[in-house]
Amino acid sequence: MRPSPDAEGYLMIESIDINNFRCFEAQALKGLGRINVVVGRNASGKTALLEAIYLNLGSPALSLKVRGWRGLLGSFQITDDADAMNMIWKDYFYRFEQERVASIAFRGSQGLNRKLTIRCDPVSGVRLSKDRVAIGDEASAAQVGTIAFEWWQSSRRIAAAKPILEGETIKIKGGPQSLPGAFYSSTNPINPQETANWFSDLSKRREERIIVQSLQSLFPFINDLSVETHGTMPMVHADVLSLPEKIPVGLISSGVNKLVALLVAIATQKHGTLIIDEIENGFHFRAMPGIWQCLYEFCKQSSVQLFVSTHSQECLESLKQVIKGHERDFSLLRTVRENEGCIIRQFNGDKFLGALEEDIELRS
């Protein structure tokens, strides 16, 4: 169920419960804001938290995409060794204990209620053939990761998915209709074709001007944006006042390229969630106050909720003027490694702003 575009105070996710997922045994977050900033030391669970949010948004194929961002996509081969194949999925579970059930649950505005469970089931497991033709033939089948993804709304199961084998490639098919959202990984470059496709859709609806205007507030030398072909690939191009022809935004700077991609994603994923790992990457610290202001206003206009991580104290300090007067829209989430796992400490906008004004170190 979605709100009207003008729904005041709309937030997609107001609370998150995570159990037995990666480094989190049991975490409950409540009173989340429109802008949620995640900080913490390396290996404290920042990326795991962002991945948990992304996975519950929709397609189970995202679980393989996430593996690619972590550099693990090519780390396994199809074999007849059931134990070896089950290792593929171990990292989804707290302390690698596959007898646990991992779960990620959202509650939010406008009746949002969604839960993802991830379980290994050695009894009914998934048997996959290494032969394209003989799928399901026990003689040529290997047990490949007894994993099952199930989505629930209240107590009703709305979708399920398990892995299948196509040739030598494992794919996960099934699942519910994805909720609107996008993930920008710190290890994965901006996809120019995706940005171009989304920008083209906005342009067809005559909704692209607000992106141009927001960009001009920070980079006044950019006169306009359009989708053009660069070689054989469509890309967003900028009309730069001092140049005789348009150029791909990626040729201006990595920061401009990233900001255009984020603004296009926000405008496209209305009433959804945008997740950004290490938001400061590509941006000069002096530009960050304007970038934060731009993203905040854009998120409010499109009813989009933001979850971002950062390692930069300068990036955090540049938020002060944006938070002032809008404290209810902000939340700070600090991940901490503790004992055998990780925990998340949560601070509302008032405490977040107070810590910034007192020059308190927030990153660890």
Side-chain angles (χ1 to χ4, degrees), residues 106-118:
F106 296 159
R107 288 188 180 275
S109 303
Q110 308 297 320
L112 175 69
N113 183 338
R114 176 178 283 202
K115 180 178 181 180
L116 166 65
T117 60
I118 308 171

Side-chain angles (χ1 to χ4, degrees), residues 23-24 36-50 276-280 308-313 316 331-338 342-347 352 361-364:
C23 56
F24 299 115
N36 304 278
V37 182
V38 185
V39 298
R41 295 186 179 184
N42 290 336
S44 64
K46 297 189 300 299
T47 303
L49 170 60
L50 300 182
I276 310 168
D277 197 11
E278 298 183 20
I279 189 173
E280 71 275 16
V308 305
S309 72
T310 181
H311 288 127
S312 168
Q313 185 69 17
L316 291 169
S331 173
L332 177 72
L333 307 174
R334 181 191 285 173
T335 58
V336 179
R337 178 162 288 279
E338 187 174 271
C342 299
I343 62 171
I344 305 170
R345 294 175 180 152
Q346 185 175 1
F347 304 88
F352 189 0
E361 171 62 59
L362 296 175
R363 295 171 298 176
S364 61

Side-chain angles (χ1 to χ4, degrees), residues 66-320:
V66 163
R67 294 189 68 84
W69 294 335
R70 287 180 173 260
L72 301 173
L73 198 56
S75 62
F76 54 84
Q77 295 180 338
I78 306 300
T79 76
D80 291 319
D81 185 338
D83 289 337
M85 294 311 300
N86 283 335
M87 285 291 292
I88 296 172
W89 314 108
K90 266 193 169 183
D91 53 290
Y92 285 111
F93 300 94
Y94 181 72
R95 298 187 66 220
F96 310 123
E97 296 173 357
Q98 290 176 287
E99 67 275 11
R100 295 175 180 259
V101 176
S103 67
I104 304 148
F106 296 159
R107 288 188 180 275
S109 303
Q110 308 297 320
L112 175 69
N113 183 338
R114 176 178 283 202
K115 180 178 181 180
L116 166 65
T117 60
I118 308 171
R119 69 176 72 240
C120 283
D121 185 354
V123 177
S124 62
V126 183
R127 298 192 68 82
L128 303 177
S129 172
K130 293 200 293 179
D131 182 341
R132 287 177 183 266
V133 178
I135 297 292
D137 180 356
E138 288 293 312
S140 61
Q143 191 162 347
V144 181
T146 55
I147 193 84
F149 299 82
E150 296 178 317
W151 283 262
W152 304 78
Q153 188 168 346
S154 298
S155 59
R156 181 174 64 89
R157 191 177 80 165
I158 58 174
K162 292 183 179 181
I164 67 168
L165 188 67
E166 290 187 357
E168 291 295 317
T169 304
I170 294 177
K171 294 186 177 180
I172 303 175
K173 292 191 175 181
Q177 179 180 355
S178 295
L179 298 174
F183 191 123
Y184 286 86
S185 167
S186 63
T187 60
N188 205 43
I190 299 294
N191 183 336
Q193 192 164 7
E194 180 180 66
T195 303
N197 290 338
W198 286 352
F199 186 88
S200 177
D201 290 339
L202 293 170
S203 180
K204 290 174 187 175
R205 300 194 298 268
R206 297 187 175 91
E207 296 176 4
E208 82 284 3
R209 284 305 303 171
I210 187 172
I211 294 174
V212 176
Q213 291 163 2
S214 296
L215 198 63
Q216 287 172 332
S217 67
L218 296 169
F219 305 102
F221 58 84
I222 295 176
N223 185 52
D224 203 359
L225 297 175
S226 62
V227 175
E228 313 291 343
T229 301
H230 184 72
T232 60
M233 182 180 294
M235 292 184 179
V236 177
H237 283 58
D239 180 4
V240 178
L241 294 175
S242 61
L243 296 179
E245 61 183 58
K246 297 178 182 180
I247 61 171
V249 292
L251 290 181
I252 300 175
S253 77
S254 60
V256 171
N257 188 42
K258 182 174 181 177
L259 182 58
V260 169
L262 297 181
L263 294 178
V264 169
I266 292 170
T268 303
Q269 306 298 317
K270 290 183 178 179
H271 315 303
T273 303
L274 186 65
I275 304 167
I276 310 168
D277 197 11
E278 298 183 20
I279 189 173
E280 71 275 16
N281 290 353
F283 296 128
H284 191 277
F285 74 93
R286 294 189 186 279
M288 283 307 302
I291 288 168
W292 276 122
Q293 186 68 46
C294 181
L295 292 176
Y296 172 62
E297 291 175 357
F298 231 67
C299 284
K300 282 187 67 176
Q301 183 168 342
S302 296
S303 294
V304 166
Q305 190 173 18
L306 205 61
F307 288 86
V308 305
S309 72
T310 181
H311 288 127
S312 168
Q313 185 69 17
E314 290 173 327
C315 179
L316 291 169
E317 290 172 354
S318 66
L319 260 173
K320 276 190 274 192

Side-chain angles (χ1 to χ4, degrees), residues 348-364:
N348 63 24
D350 289 322
K351 291 182 179 179
F352 189 0
L353 179 60
L356 291 173
E357 290 180 330
E358 293 297 324
D359 294 322
I360 296 174
E361 171 62 59
L362 296 175
R363 295 171 298 176
S364 61

